[in-house]
Amino acid sequence: MEVVIVDGPAEAGALAAARIAELVAAKPSAVLGVATGSSPLETYRSLAARRDAGLDLSRVSAFALDEYVGIRHDHPESYHAVIEREAVRPLGLDPSRVHVPDGLAADLDAECEDYEARIAAAGGVDLQLLGIGANGHIGFNEPSSSLSSRTRVKTLAPATREDNARFFDSADEVPVHCLTQGLGTILDARRALLVAQGESKARAIAEIVEGPVSARWPGSVLQLHRRATIVVDEAAASQLELSDYYRHTVEHRRIVQPGV
Ligand code: GLP
């Protein structure tokens, strides 16, 4: 696991965007795993600025991590709408190459299976962008999620519904169920890039980076990933015991790999 500590949210977004831009430069038809929530917003902003400067993302395919069950796609907080507003339009993605699980499907299990098949048909995800919930969830894989789970229906933890109530008119409006890529699905991505900012994520970051691999803190599954990078600002890094070592490794890597 590579841990990079940066000053603040803007720097975290810039670094994540640089990694994505590097991938797209090498592979213009890359398959990107996209995330919702506030964590990746700076990354999208920074990528949009790179697009203004000439980065072409029109051949990139994108797969969202998750979607609520039962809210219309045109509801402003459906992940269909969020991905369209925060990623597809500002980045100039081709909507026909962008996929979000359908939480309105008549047969949700079949939709989950089909979503896995669509990812496989696209050649798998090259880089999965991730945020993290305060309880350690990635995607909507709540604590106790199987570490090898695939895309499926999940019940949101009450804490997650409370966290996400800020996006809805009332807490009751937050859906109870969702579809989410599984932890096994996320592990299959060729690279994983998790961004976290702020004090509220400090415990989760310490648990997933330095704690045991455990379904109690689902993001800890990234310790099993071959190329996982965690980009955190100072506040989100504040409970890491080995932060001096992570800074040291980044400094020293620059000597052998100046572009990193
Ligand atoms: C949401 C999403 C996750 C996201 C997390 C954190 O509910 N399903 O993909 O990483 O919770 O959200 P935020 O980045 O707004 O803190």
Side-chain angles (χ1 to χ4, degrees), residues 18 38 66 76 82 93 95 98 108 120 124 136 144-145 184 190 210 215 236:
S38 49
D66 45 16
V82 173
L93 302 181
V98 177
L108 293 171
S144 81
S145 288
R190 284 181 274 278
E210 296 176 342

Side-chain angles (χ1 to χ4, degrees), residues 113-202:
E113 242 177 77
D114 182 61
Y115 200 65
E116 289 275 342
R118 278 146 78 189
I119 295 173
V125 171
D126 288 304
L127 185 151
Q128 177 64 58
L129 183 61
L130 296 160
I132 187 164
N135 66 359
H137 73 234
I138 54 174
F140 267 138
N141 292 280
E142 299 285 26
S144 81
S145 288
S146 157
L147 299 182
S148 59
S149 49
R150 309 304 304 187
T151 304
R152 69 214 183 288
V153 181
K154 285 290 286 180
T155 305
L156 295 175
T160 300
R161 293 188 67 228
E162 275 166 37
D163 279 352
N164 289 1
R166 66 188 195 276
F167 298 119
F168 292 83
D169 292 335
S170 76
D172 296 343
E173 249 190 65
V174 186
V176 175
H177 297 100
C178 63
L179 304 185
T180 181
Q181 285 189 34
L183 295 172
T185 318
I186 293 169
L187 275 188
D188 283 349
R190 284 181 274 278
R191 291 187 206 180
L193 180 57
L194 185 147
V195 282
Q197 306 102 5
E199 182 64 39
S200 65
K201 303 296 171 67

Side-chain angles (χ1 to χ4, degrees), residues 15 18 36 54 61 93 111 139 142 207 221 249 258:
L15 195 145
T36 53
S61 299
L93 302 181
E111 167 62 13
E142 299 285 26
E207 295 286 352
V221 78
T249 56

